[in-house]
Amino acid sequence: MQDANAIDRIVKKLSSARSVTVLTGAGVSAASGVPTFRGKDGRWKSYRAESLATPEAFAENPQLVWEWYQWRRQLIANCEPKKAHEVLASWSRRFDDFTLITQNVDGLHERAGTGNVIRFHGSIWEVRCWSGCRDAPDRWLNEIIPFPEVPPHCPYCGGLLRPGVVWFGEGIDPEILERSFVAVTCDVFLAIGTSSRVHPAASLSNAAKAAGATTVEINLEPTPVSSQLNLSLEGAAETILEQIDQGLSKPNAFGKGI
Ligand code: BV8
Ligand code: ZN
């Protein structure tokens, strides 16, 4: 059992919270079988994920980058939302003002029925025209598995398609950025299953703290923000979230304040 006192303190805070914002990373989907970015499974063939998730890598070798995304799409299509996704989906119905900002592109939070999901880094299930042709929408859903051709081509101009995700060196959609930094003004902010190394997503936790939120981290290992937040719990998201949720379901949940 995770530090029962810490769980009690979080339950107490959440029991009286009106607004809750959650930031998730790859660790929340690990139990579903989706590889994390920086763990031992963060490689594909001999490549590090970070070396492929860039516009330069795509410009140099669109075939290779699409083979990686095709492999991930096929893998994710066989993954299911698990306990961590389910608890967070139920919290999106429990709290009056709930926002879930995810760095994950796998779509598992949406498949779990979570309300008000902000996809900070886009979606692996969307595509965009690489040349940004005039006739194509900015992005659109394309769940075809496998693509009949790799790399796939834009149906509007015949040029290359690209995955609808944000690559390293690309800016976050300004509207997404705005909504996310508004959402950090909340009663409780939880950073769950993220190494908190990728910016600007990683700066949301401290922005929440500066805005007066009670800040909580749940992660398998310490991260650069662990010592800066009000509480940092080391453990599996699926286990800790279930313990907190059980605490919330007890009548008149209470505990010491954080
Ligand atoms: C930008 C989409 C500017 C693609 C992704 C130096 C310092 C600071 C910043 C930078 C810097 N140099 C460069 C930068 C900027 C760069 C950056 O932050 N680089 C890092 C690596 C240093 N950021 C960018 O480029 C961003 N854009 O800055 O733009 C700009 C502005 C205007 C105009 C132009 C440019 C864009 C970054 C977006 C990159 N795209 N994904 C795709 O998925 O294919 S990021 C990628 O990392 C994923 O989205 C992933 O979600 C994200 C973060 O990683 P995590 O989710 O945290 O995953 P990770 O594996 O790292 O950690 C998982 C954690 O879970 C681990 O700690 C593990 O212990 C834990 N865990 C595992 N299992 C469990 C668990 N925890 C709990 N329970 C479990 N069961
Ligand atoms: Zn096009």
Side-chain angles (χ1 to χ4, degrees):
M1 174 79 166
Q2 176 61 246
D3 171 0
N5 177 34
I7 298 280
D8 269 354
R9 290 159 68 188
I10 297 170
V11 168
K12 160 87 177 159
K13 269 292 171 187
L14 286 172
S15 304
S16 58
R18 198 193 63 75
S19 53
V20 173
T21 297
V22 176
L23 169 69
T24 63
V28 164
S29 293
S32 301
V34 181
T36 62
F37 253 69
R38 285 163 199 84
K40 62 188 180 325
D41 54 2
R43 305 182 72 82
W44 173 73
K45 293 187 179 171
S46 59
Y47 301 94
R48 285 180 60 244
E50 273 162 9
S51 65
L52 293 172
T54 70
E56 294 77 15
F58 186 81
E60 189 186 322
N61 192 337
Q63 170 90 21
L64 175 73
V65 173
W66 263 120
E67 281 173 10
W68 177 48
Y69 279 94
Q70 175 107 295
W71 172 79
R72 289 171 72 196
R73 286 163 58 106
Q74 287 172 310
L75 184 147
I76 292 166
N78 293 315
C79 297
E80 294 298 324
K82 293 280 187 202
K83 193 52 163 174
H85 301 102
E86 289 160 9
V87 168
L88 294 172
S90 74
W91 288 7
S92 72
R93 296 182 289 273
R94 170 190 285 268
F95 295 102
D96 296 339
D97 176 3
F98 181 89
T99 305
L100 189 136
I101 304 165
T102 188
Q103 300 171 87
N104 302 339
V105 298
D106 56 35
L108 290 180
H109 285 302
E110 295 90 332
R111 279 176 53 195
T114 314
N116 201 21
V117 175
I118 298 179
R119 292 189 196 130
F120 206 74
H121 293 151
S123 169
I124 202 165
W125 297 113
E126 292 180 342
V127 292
R128 305 179 65 193
C129 175
W130 171 243
S131 48
C133 69
R134 198 185 41 245
D135 300 328
D138 174 57
R139 63 188 57 243
W140 62 96
L141 192 62
N142 174 319
E143 295 177 315
I144 297 168
I145 300 176
F147 285 115
E149 53 161 359
V150 172
H153 286 85
C154 173
Y156 299 91
C157 71
L160 285 175
L161 284 182
R162 59 160 288 173
V165 300
V166 180
W167 280 327
F168 289 99
E170 294 186 318
I172 306 300
D173 176 303
E175 194 253 333
I176 294 272
L177 211 51
E178 162 77 16
R179 281 177 62 201
S180 301
F181 278 94
V182 165
V184 301
T185 301
C186 58
D187 294 321
V188 181
F189 181 96
L190 301 102
I192 306 172
T194 178
S195 61
S196 289
R197 292 184 187 288
V198 173
H199 289 264
S203 62
L204 290 166
S205 299
N206 275 309
K209 184 132 186 270
T214 296
T215 49
V216 177
E217 177 181 56
I218 298 169
N219 203 57
L220 268 189
E221 62 186 359
T223 74
V225 303
S226 300
S227 60
Q228 300 155 19
L229 303 188
N230 296 108
L231 261 179
S232 180
L233 282 73
E234 261 184 59
E238 54 275 16
T239 308
I240 295 175
L241 284 174
E242 185 168 29
Q243 289 168 353
I244 295 170
D245 199 46
Q246 285 166 350
L248 285 173
S249 308
K250 279 185 202 143
N252 64 0
F254 60 92
K256 282 196 283 312
I258 284 185

